[in-house]
Amino acid sequence: MSEVVTQVQSKTQVNQARTSTDILHEINEIKGVNAVVVVGRDGFVIESIGHMPNSNLDVLGAAIASAINGISEMGAELTVGDFTDLFVTYKEAMIMCFPVGDAICGIAGEDASALGMIRHKTHKLIPELELYL
Amino acid sequence: MTVMRDKVVKDLVNITVTHDQDGLIPNFNVLVNQLPTSFWNTFAERIIATCPADRKPALEAALIQCAYECGYHTGYGIITSQEFKSVVMPMVTEGPKDVLRGAFAVFTAWGWAKSGIVQIVEGEKMTIRATDYYEADDAKGSDKHAYMIRGISTAFFELAYSDPYPNGMGKFQCEQVKGIECGDPFGEFIVTKK
């Protein structure tokens, strides 16, 4: 199915000025970002862009959903409301997550050095992304 | 906890299925068969190609209806099957929404469409995306023709939110708004009330 037609310009793409794909591209262009995924709470990768050097984005999506479900349960247990933001660093990656409606936007980068810039630039884009899902 | 589709898909693809002497596979509380996707695509392509232009909308509606009726009854068999109860139901914590997530995971595991839920307004509306589906194989034109996903999505939503089986049919409809077969990066399907 990967050989499916990609050359044909879709009417739907022509008609819409801006799409979730555009916003994902914009996030992925921020310095320090390697990949962006929008994933459902069940781990279904709704949309993704970019790459992770040591994994693939389906695995990233499933892992993010699993982690966020655990974190949401913790929030409910502690009666501290819904999850609003998650940031975690590893030796070879950093991952940020934000709720996007019922879904989750996960952003993966190499390290936390560009964290401030990523946070600043995604601040406006995440609410916009929600509008297009 | 909610239904984790990755686990569902991995568990289901490990189930060994064997057909009986009639070529039917008794699994998931239903009888299924295994045919090449090219068979179904060729069938749809040829029947549409031979149809007069003025009757094409009616033919497309009929193809959707076939998938819808099959999806409604087969879908009920699936979600009430022992396999579904043992693999999916332990993870269901959000009621019908989770059952739907499980149903689309089964849909994916069976190779019909790598698809899942983007959004649900419970009992009102559902958006589905499919990033890989057999109806987009060998795509040649600019028409959206994922009839099977349209019918099945409607059926699953009715099983979740309409009147209890078998009285819940005819309440919802599904529109395909994007399609890999016409150049979009994914197929998108919106189920709404009729």
Side-chain angles (χ1 to χ4, degrees):
Chain A
M1 278 186 241
S2 58
E3 294 173 8
V4 160
V5 175
T6 52
Q7 301 92 333
V8 181
Q9 181 71 33
S10 162
K11 288 173 188 173
T12 51
Q13 284 178 327
V14 172
N15 292 339
Q16 290 175 4
R18 193 162 158 83
T19 65
S20 55
T21 310
D22 297 329
I23 297 168
L24 259 58
H25 271 288
E26 210 169 309
I27 295 172
N28 196 48
E29 281 166 9
I30 299 169
K31 191 181 174 189
V33 174
N34 285 344
V36 190
V37 295
V38 179
V39 60
R41 297 278 171 152
D42 58 350
F44 173 63
V45 177
I46 295 167
E47 205 165 350
S48 64
I49 194 162
H51 72 280
M52 285 192 79
N54 303 326
S55 187
N56 72 56
L57 300 187
D58 279 344
V59 175
L60 174 66
I64 283 174
S66 184
I68 296 301
N69 286 332
I71 282 165
S72 297
E73 274 181 32
M74 186 173 84
E77 197 74 28
L78 300 172
T79 58
V80 290
D82 294 335
F83 129 85
T84 57
D85 189 337
L86 171 73
F87 169 59
V88 57
T89 56
Y90 297 91
K91 279 187 179 174
E92 295 178 31
M94 73 91 195
I95 295 167
M96 297 171 74
C97 299
F98 304 95
V100 184
D102 202 28
I104 306 150
C105 177
I107 300 170
E110 282 171 16
D111 54 52
S113 60
L115 180 64
M117 184 57 71
I118 296 169
R119 274 189 185 282
H120 173 69
K121 291 199 172 178
T122 53
H123 184 69
K124 289 177 190 167
L125 294 170
I126 296 295
E128 195 182 349
L129 179 61
E130 191 172 340
L131 297 175
Y132 292 101
L133 287 178
Chain B
M1 182 97 169
T2 184
V3 170
M4 297 309 297
R5 58 182 279 121
D6 188 45
K7 178 171 169 35
V8 175
V9 172
K10 280 177 182 164
D11 285 352
L12 292 184
V13 296
N14 283 326
I15 293 176
T16 305
V17 296
T18 48
H19 61 80
D20 61 18
Q21 69 275 16
D22 298 318
L24 297 170
I25 303 164
N27 262 92
F28 291 88
N29 227 6
V30 292
L31 289 171
V32 292
N33 57 29
Q34 193 170 29
L35 290 168
T37 55
S38 58
F39 168 82
W40 296 111
N41 283 341
T42 305
F43 172 79
E45 188 184 311
R46 286 187 183 171
I47 198 170
I48 286 169
T50 53
C51 179
D54 62 322
R55 300 195 63 189
K56 196 178 163 194
L59 176 62
E60 289 182 330
L63 288 170
I64 294 164
Q65 185 70 17
C66 289
Y68 165 64
E69 288 186 22
C70 171
Y72 188 74
H73 300 293
T74 307
Y76 180 75
I78 291 169
I79 62 175
T80 55
S81 68
Q82 204 50 51
E83 292 91 336
F84 196 86
K85 281 178 185 165
S86 60
V87 174
V88 180
M89 290 311 279
M91 293 187 276
V92 170
T93 55
E94 294 183 32
K97 193 189 269 192
D98 264 349
V99 173
L100 272 171
R101 286 172 174 150
F104 277 97
V106 174
F107 199 49
T108 301
W110 282 12
W112 288 338
K114 189 176 175 183
S115 57
I117 298 163
V118 176
Q119 264 194 348
I120 288 186
V121 181
E122 295 206 60
E124 297 286 330
K125 184 183 173 188
M126 173 173 74
T127 304
I128 295 295
R129 273 192 195 175
T131 52
D132 191 357
Y133 49 98
Y134 76 82
E135 288 173 300
D137 286 355
D138 312 316
K140 290 170 186 160
S142 58
D143 290 340
K144 301 178 190 80
H145 54 234
Y147 311 117
M148 187 271 297
I149 302 179
R150 286 179 66 180
I152 296 279
S153 298
T154 309
F156 283 1
F157 198 72
E158 287 183 343
L159 285 168
Y161 291 109
S162 189
D163 294 336
Y165 181 88
N167 302 316
M169 295 183 84
K171 308 282 168 45
F172 290 88
Q173 62 191 358
C174 180
E175 187 192 356
Q176 183 180 3
V177 294
K178 289 185 179 178
I180 295 172
E181 64 273 28
C182 54
D184 291 313
F186 47 77
E188 190 164 282
F189 307 85
I190 299 176
V191 179
T192 52
K193 277 184 176 169
K194 268 187 178 172

